[in-house]
Amino acid sequence: MAKKDPYAALRYREFNVFLLMRFAMVFAWSMQFVVIEWEVYSITKNPLSLGIIGLMEVIPAVTLALFAGHIVDQKEKRSLLFKCLLGFSVVSIGLFLLTWPRLTQFIDTNYTLYFIYFLVFLGGIVRAFLGPTIFSLFALIIPKKIYPNAATWSSSVWQMGAVVGPAAGGFTINLIGVHWSMCVIFGFSLFALICLFQIERKPILNTKIGEPILQSLKEGIHFVKNNKAVLGALSLDMIAVLFGGAVALLPIYAQDILEVGPEGFGILRAAPAVGALITMFTSAYFPLYKNAGMKLLAAIFGFGICIMIFGLSTTFWLSVAALFMSGVTDGISMIIRQTILQLKTPDAMRGRVASVNSMFVGSSNELGAFESGLTAKLMGTVTAVVFGGSMTLITVVFTGIISPKFRKLDLRKDLEEHEALE
C-alpha cells in the first residue's frame, strides 16, 4: 500500500484535518514574515535590518530548542500545539496594532521598529515549541508503514502554504496595505486553531515521564550524533539553507535591482515554493527513498547552482525561473530529509530529535537571513548571493567525498522493516 497507493495517507480523516491545520499555520507564518520584511525595509532601507528580523527569531528558537524538545516528549501533543497556535495569534494581533496608522502616528519610527523586533522574538519562542510538536503529532496520526507517503503530502501542504502565503503577502500589501494584511494573517491563525480541535488527544509514548531534563537532553543529542543518516541529512540541509538564504534579500531585488514593486516581490517570493510544490506532488507517484543519499547530495548541489544564477540575473523572469528551480531541488531535499527523520527516530524521542532538527535546519533559515543581510551590507547584494551559492556547492562536494556511507544511503530496508512490524 505504501509503495503503490499515492493517496495512502489521505485515507485517514485526522491526517486530512492535520494537513488543513498545517496549511493555515504555514500560510499565516510565511505571509507574516513577508509582510514584516516589506514593512521593515520600507522603514529603514537598510539590508542589515532584514538580517536582524531573522536574528530576532532565531535567538529564542535555538536557545530554547532542546528544552522545547524535552517538554514535547513529556506532554500531550494536541494541548501543547494549542498553546503554540494561541501564542502565534497573540503575536499577529500585536503586529496588526503596530501597523495601524491611527496608532503608529503617535509612536516614533524607531520605537515601532523595536516593537516589531520584539514581537518577532516572541514568535521565535513559539516556534521553538511548534516544530517539535507538529513533528511528534504527525507520527501519532498515521501508521508507520505509510510515513514516506504521509511525509510527502505533509511537505506538499507545507510548500503550498509557502507558495500562497508569500504571494498573498505581496498582493495584499499592494491591494489593502500592510495593516489589513496582518488581519488576514490573524484570521488564518484562528482557522488553524479550529482545525486542531478536530483532532483527538493522543497518548504520551515516552515511558520516562519525569526524567531529569539534563539526562533527557543528553539522550536526544547522543541519538542524533550517533545516527549518521540523521546527522548527515541535517548538516547538509543546514549549510544549504544557511548560505543559500537569498530569499531574505528579495525586498532589495524587488525594490532596487529588478524594480518590480510589491506584486513582483510576491511572485519572486512564491517562485521557490511553486517549484517545491510541483516536486512534492510528483514524488507521491515516484518515491524518493531509493538511493536517498545520492539524491539528497544532487538536490542540494542543484540548489546552489540556482542561487548563483538568481544572484547574477538582472532579468525578472530569469530570476523567477532560477528561484523556481531552487524550489524544485529544495523540495526533493525536504522530502528525503523528512522521510529519514520519520523512519529513523524512535517514538519516545521525536520531540527531542525534532528540536535538534529545528536547530540545524529550521533556525538556519533565520541565521541564513542574518548572514545574507550582513554579507550584503559588507560586500554588496549580488556578491553576497553568489558567495552563498558557492559555499553550498563546496559543502556538498566535501560531504560527498568524506562520507561514502552517506552517498550509499537507501531507505528501502527501513521501510520494509516498519511494514513487517505492522
Side-chain angles (χ1 to χ4, degrees), residues 263-404:
E263 291 187 1
F265 173 62
I267 294 173
L268 289 169
R269 192 64 174 78
V274 173
L277 184 61
I278 291 174
T279 297
M280 290 176 179
F281 279 124
T282 303
S283 69
Y285 297 88
F286 304 98
L288 296 171
Y289 50 80
K290 300 177 182 178
N291 302 316
M294 280 301 299
K295 288 178 180 176
L296 183 57
L297 288 168
I300 298 177
F301 188 88
F303 176 81
I305 293 290
C306 293
I307 292 300
M308 293 178 68
I309 293 173
F310 167 75
L312 294 170
S313 171
T314 57
T315 304
F316 175 66
W317 289 112
L318 176 60
S319 299
V320 172
L323 290 173
F324 171 83
M325 290 306 301
S326 75
V328 170
T329 53
D330 188 47
I332 295 172
S333 169
M334 181 180 297
I335 291 172
I336 295 174
R337 189 182 76 250
Q338 287 299 315
T339 302
I340 290 172
L341 292 179
Q342 291 291 353
L343 289 176
K344 297 285 188 180
T345 304
D347 288 330
M349 297 184 64
R350 291 188 179 277
R352 282 162 287 177
V353 172
S355 70
V356 175
N357 175 48
S358 69
M359 292 178 66
F360 270 73
V361 180
S363 298
S364 61
N365 284 286
E366 284 67 43
L367 282 176
F370 178 72
E371 180 271 338
S372 296
L374 181 61
T375 53
K377 181 71 173 179
L378 295 175
M379 62 179 69
T381 301
V382 173
T383 304
V385 174
V386 174
F387 168 77
S390 301
M391 291 301 297
T392 301
L393 299 184
I394 292 171
T395 301
V396 171
V397 172
F398 180 75
T399 302
I401 292 174
I402 68 169
S403 183

Side-chain angles (χ1 to χ4, degrees), residues 35-191:
V35 174
I36 292 171
E37 281 185 327
W38 186 268
E39 179 70 2
V40 168
Y41 187 68
S42 297
I43 292 172
T44 66
K45 291 297 181 180
N46 185 347
L48 186 59
S49 65
L50 298 176
I52 294 175
I53 296 173
L55 191 63
M56 286 298 99
E57 186 169 337
V58 79
I59 288 174
V62 170
T63 304
L64 296 174
L66 292 178
F67 172 74
H70 167 76
I71 296 298
V72 170
D73 282 336
Q74 296 279 319
K75 302 293 183 180
E76 196 277 317
K77 309 304 180 286
R78 195 192 73 168
S79 300
L80 193 56
L81 186 54
F82 169 77
K83 295 176 182 177
C84 292
L85 295 179
L86 190 62
F88 176 78
S89 298
V90 170
V91 171
S92 296
I93 292 173
L95 290 169
F96 174 75
L97 294 175
L98 277 177
T99 55
W100 190 15
R102 291 186 179 180
L103 179 63
T104 55
Q105 65 178 330
F106 301 109
I107 304 176
D108 182 82
T109 302
N110 288 329
Y111 284 114
T112 299
L113 191 63
Y114 298 150
F115 283 135
I116 290 175
Y117 288 150
F118 174 70
L119 288 172
V120 172
F121 185 88
L122 292 182
I125 296 176
V126 173
R127 178 175 166 174
F129 291 86
L130 184 64
T133 306
I134 288 179
F135 181 81
S136 301
L137 182 62
F138 169 97
L140 298 173
I141 292 176
I142 42 90
K144 289 184 173 64
K145 64 182 180 181
I146 59 171
Y147 275 0
N149 180 259
T152 297
W153 285 108
S154 181
S155 297
S156 298
V157 166
W158 188 95
Q159 285 294 347
M160 189 181 298
V163 169
V164 182
F171 289 119
T172 57
I173 288 171
N174 187 52
L175 293 175
I176 59 177
V178 170
H179 177 59
W180 292 109
S181 295
M182 292 305 309
C183 185
V184 173
I185 292 165
F186 176 67
F188 272 85
S189 69
L190 291 182
F191 179 75

Side-chain angles (χ1 to χ4, degrees), residues 18-28 157 160-161 164 188:
F18 173 84
L19 293 181
L20 283 174
M21 178 201 67
R22 192 170 195 204
F23 170 79
M25 189 68 245
V26 174
F27 175 95
V157 166
M160 189 181 298
V164 182
F188 272 85

Side-chain angles (χ1 to χ4, degrees), residues 224-243:
V224 174
K225 179 182 177 182
N226 289 278
N227 191 305
K228 302 303 180 185
V230 171
L231 182 62
L234 296 184
S235 300
L236 266 175
D237 217 53
M238 178 189 71
I239 295 298
V241 175
L242 178 62
F243 289 108

